[in-house]
């Protein structure tokens, strides 16, 4: 079992910080899985196998979303920024900039 998510001595970190680090690691792993499925799906010729992988990829996105929501509940300022970015139309960078301005 790896403990790579800690970059400081684990015993010096609070329980909340250790949980936060684990959730960041989980978020990263879900994002990697989404990317791996995207590549597998793009080359898979078998329709049934492809459908299963597409279903699995969607599950990974759900996991990613749950991890992200957990983290956003710990960081209200991140939620403020992402509220300006997610589920919007138009220029993404501009939306993010406006979101950041709401935090300052
Ligand atoms: Fe997952």
């Amino acid at each position: 079992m790896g403990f790579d998510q800690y970059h400081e001595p684990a015993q010096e970190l609070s329980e909340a910080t250790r949980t936060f680090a684990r959730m960041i690691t989980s978020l990263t792993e879900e994002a990697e899985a989404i990317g791996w499925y995207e590549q597998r799906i793009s080359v898979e010729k078998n329709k049934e196998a492809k459908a299963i992988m597409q279903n699995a990829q969607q599950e990974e996105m759900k996991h990613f979303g749950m991890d992200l929501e957990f983290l956003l509940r710990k960081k209200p300022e991140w939620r403020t920024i992402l509220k300006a970015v997610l589920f919007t139309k138009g220029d993404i960078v501009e939306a993010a900039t406006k979101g950041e301005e709401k935090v300052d």
Side-chain angles (χ1 to χ4, degrees):
M1 184 177 181
F3 298 98
D4 293 342
Q5 70 265 35
Y6 303 124
H7 292 275
E8 299 296 331
Q11 67 275 11
E12 293 182 27
L13 300 172
S14 69
E15 182 63 34
T17 299
R18 291 197 303 270
T19 296
F20 190 89
R22 286 193 289 268
M23 291 303 288
I24 288 284
T25 299
S26 181
L27 184 80
T28 302
E29 291 169 351
E30 303 300 352
E32 286 176 342
I34 293 165
W36 294 334
Y37 276 119
E38 189 70 13
Q39 293 178 48
R40 291 176 195 149
I41 290 165
S42 76
V43 297
E44 182 56 57
K45 303 287 188 243
N46 182 290
K47 282 180 76 172
E48 190 173 28
K50 193 171 196 164
I52 292 167
M53 285 188 268
Q54 287 169 327
N55 182 281
Q57 186 190 41
Q58 192 164 298
E59 278 293 307
E60 302 302 355
M61 190 67 211
K62 181 183 77 180
H63 300 162
F64 179 89
M66 291 190 297
D67 289 348
L68 181 60
E69 178 62 21
F70 179 92
L71 294 166
L72 292 177
R73 290 181 186 187
K74 307 298 178 203
K75 300 285 187 181
E77 62 279 11
W78 292 0
R79 181 180 298 284
T80 298
I81 296 167
L82 290 189
K83 270 186 173 177
V85 175
L86 298 176
F87 315 110
T88 61
K89 297 183 187 300
D91 189 288
I92 295 170
V93 174
E94 189 176 303
T97 302
K98 285 181 182 172
E100 285 176 319
E101 288 168 2
K102 290 179 183 175
V103 172
D104 294 334

